């Protein structure tokens, strides 16, 4: 029986949050270690210490579990509070926190492994690529766009297209070193180099979107 054809458990007893967390941790571990096709729901269940039926009671199929694992990884590294605008923190400090959190996320061993897996599957399983994008990168961009729209309304920066500005910011943070690291041409940067890189990106971003002084 294929992973997708196993029936869901349907309504019943309340689901155990601890078991759900264990399943997600197992899924993240195996998807990265063995790839998507090499990670069966049986193996994930065994790694989590639960039954296969329990896995399906929390996640209807392997694609759903994969998307949930990607989303959980992003939320671990970039919690929602990171995208909150406050009066206490200057915009520079907020952008630095987001930039450093994002750079740490995309350059982590898990993220690099996952991206390499998705590149390998891009032509053979575009549906999975779409799930990955919607569960991870798309949500991060949308949260950043929401924040930048709020920044514009608060008069801190002038951002006519928050979504485009969010994509600009994250593309700048990725930079050239991340691509070299992704394809195996460079090692991960030191914490000092990461800090300097993100600082340069924030300064460039602020120059691009700063409100010009009145003449």
């Amino acid at each position: 029986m294929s992973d997708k054809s196993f029936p869901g458990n349907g309504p019943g007893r309340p689901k155990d949050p601890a078991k759900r967390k264990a399943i997600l941790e197992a899924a993240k571990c195996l998807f990265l270690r063995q790839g998507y096709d090499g990670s069966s729901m049986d193996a994930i269940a065994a790694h989590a210490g639960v039954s296969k039926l329990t896995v399906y009671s929390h996640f209807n199929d392997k694609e759903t579990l994969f998307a949930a694992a990607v989303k959980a990884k992003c939320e671990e590294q970039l919690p929602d509070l990171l995208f909150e605008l406050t009066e206490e923190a200057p915009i520079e400090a907020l952008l630095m926190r987001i930039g450093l959190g994002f750079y740490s996320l995309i350059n982590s061993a898990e993220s690099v492994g996952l991206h390499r897996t998705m590149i390998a599957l891009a032509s053979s399983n575009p549906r999975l690529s779409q799930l990955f994008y919607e569960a991870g990168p798309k949500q991060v961009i949308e949260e950043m766009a929401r924040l930048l729209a709020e920044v514009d309304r608060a008069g801190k920066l002038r951002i006519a297209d928050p979504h485009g500005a969010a994509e600009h910011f994250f593309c700048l943070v990725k930079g050239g070193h991340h691509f070299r690291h992704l394809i195996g041409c460079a090692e991960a940067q030191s914490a000092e180099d990461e800090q300097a890189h993100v600082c340069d990106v924030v300064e460039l971003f602020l120059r691009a979107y700063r409100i010009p002084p009145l003449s």
Side-chain angles (χ1 to χ4, degrees), residues 140-201:
V140 173
I141 291 170
E142 288 180 348
E143 280 295 298
M144 187 65 171
R146 178 192 58 76
L147 171 65
L148 292 179
E150 189 176 351
V151 168
D152 178 75
R153 288 192 297 270
K156 296 181 179 295
L157 296 173
R158 180 171 293 170
I159 305 175
D161 179 8
H163 189 275
E167 291 192 333
H168 293 162
F169 181 77
F170 289 129
C171 285
L172 287 168
V173 171
K174 280 185 177 181
H177 185 274
H178 170 67
F179 177 73
R180 293 189 293 274
H181 182 40
L182 191 62
I183 63 174
C185 292
E187 297 296 325
Q189 288 181 302
S190 67
E192 293 77 11
D193 288 340
E194 288 185 2
Q195 181 86 19
H197 167 67
V198 174
C199 185
D200 288 343
V201 167

Side-chain angles (χ1 to χ4, degrees), residues 84-104:
E84 292 299 324
L85 181 65
T86 64
E87 290 296 329
E88 296 79 17
I91 188 64
E92 293 89 344
L94 178 58
L95 292 175
M96 279 296 298
R97 286 201 304 272
I98 294 173
L100 288 170
F102 179 74
Y103 202 58
S104 177

Side-chain angles (χ1 to χ4, degrees), residues 5 18 41 43 57 67-68 89 96 111 115-117 119 136-137 178 195 203:
S5 62
M41 295 293 259
S57 75
M96 279 296 298
S111 181
H115 276 78
R116 288 170 177 166
T117 296
I119 291 169
H178 170 67
Q195 181 86 19
E203 289 180 4

Side-chain angles (χ1 to χ4, degrees), residues 4-201:
K4 292 183 180 180
S5 62
F6 199 94
N9 203 30
R13 292 180 300 174
K15 296 179 176 60
D16 186 341
K19 288 182 178 179
R20 178 183 175 87
K21 182 178 180 181
I23 294 166
L24 281 174
E25 291 299 320
K28 285 186 288 184
C29 177
L30 292 186
F31 283 141
L32 291 171
R33 183 189 303 168
Q34 301 176 11
Y36 181 82
D37 290 334
S39 302
S40 69
M41 295 293 259
D42 287 299
I44 291 170
H47 195 279
V50 301
S51 69
K52 186 175 180 180
L53 184 61
T54 298
V55 175
Y56 278 100
S57 75
H58 286 269
F59 305 96
N60 292 333
D61 51 42
K62 192 163 81 166
E63 287 186 351
T64 301
L65 176 54
F66 176 79
V70 172
K71 182 178 179 181
K73 180 60 183 175
C74 290
E75 288 176 346
E76 287 172 12
Q77 196 69 38
L78 294 168
D80 292 340
L81 289 178
L82 197 64
F83 293 96
E84 292 299 324
L85 181 65
T86 64
E87 290 296 329
E88 296 79 17
I91 188 64
E92 293 89 344
L94 178 58
L95 292 175
M96 279 296 298
R97 286 201 304 272
I98 294 173
L100 288 170
F102 179 74
Y103 202 58
S104 177
L105 169 65
I106 63 173
N107 286 295
S108 66
E110 297 123 321
S111 181
V112 169
L114 182 57
H115 276 78
R116 288 170 177 166
T117 296
M118 296 314 305
I119 291 169
L121 292 172
S123 58
S124 62
N125 197 337
R127 164 64 181 162
L128 193 63
S129 297
Q130 186 68 31
L131 284 172
F132 167 75
Y133 175 72
E134 291 178 355
K138 182 180 179 181
Q139 293 202 25
V140 173
I141 291 170
E142 288 180 348
E143 280 295 298
M144 187 65 171
R146 178 192 58 76
L147 171 65
L148 292 179
E150 189 176 351
V151 168
D152 178 75
R153 288 192 297 270
K156 296 181 179 295
L157 296 173
R158 180 171 293 170
I159 305 175
D161 179 8
H163 189 275
E167 291 192 333
H168 293 162
F169 181 77
F170 289 129
C171 285
L172 287 168
V173 171
K174 280 185 177 181
H177 185 274
H178 170 67
F179 177 73
R180 293 189 293 274
H181 182 40
L182 191 62
I183 63 174
C185 292
E187 297 296 325
Q189 288 181 302
S190 67
E192 293 77 11
D193 288 340
E194 288 185 2
Q195 181 86 19
H197 167 67
V198 174
C199 185
D200 288 343
V201 167

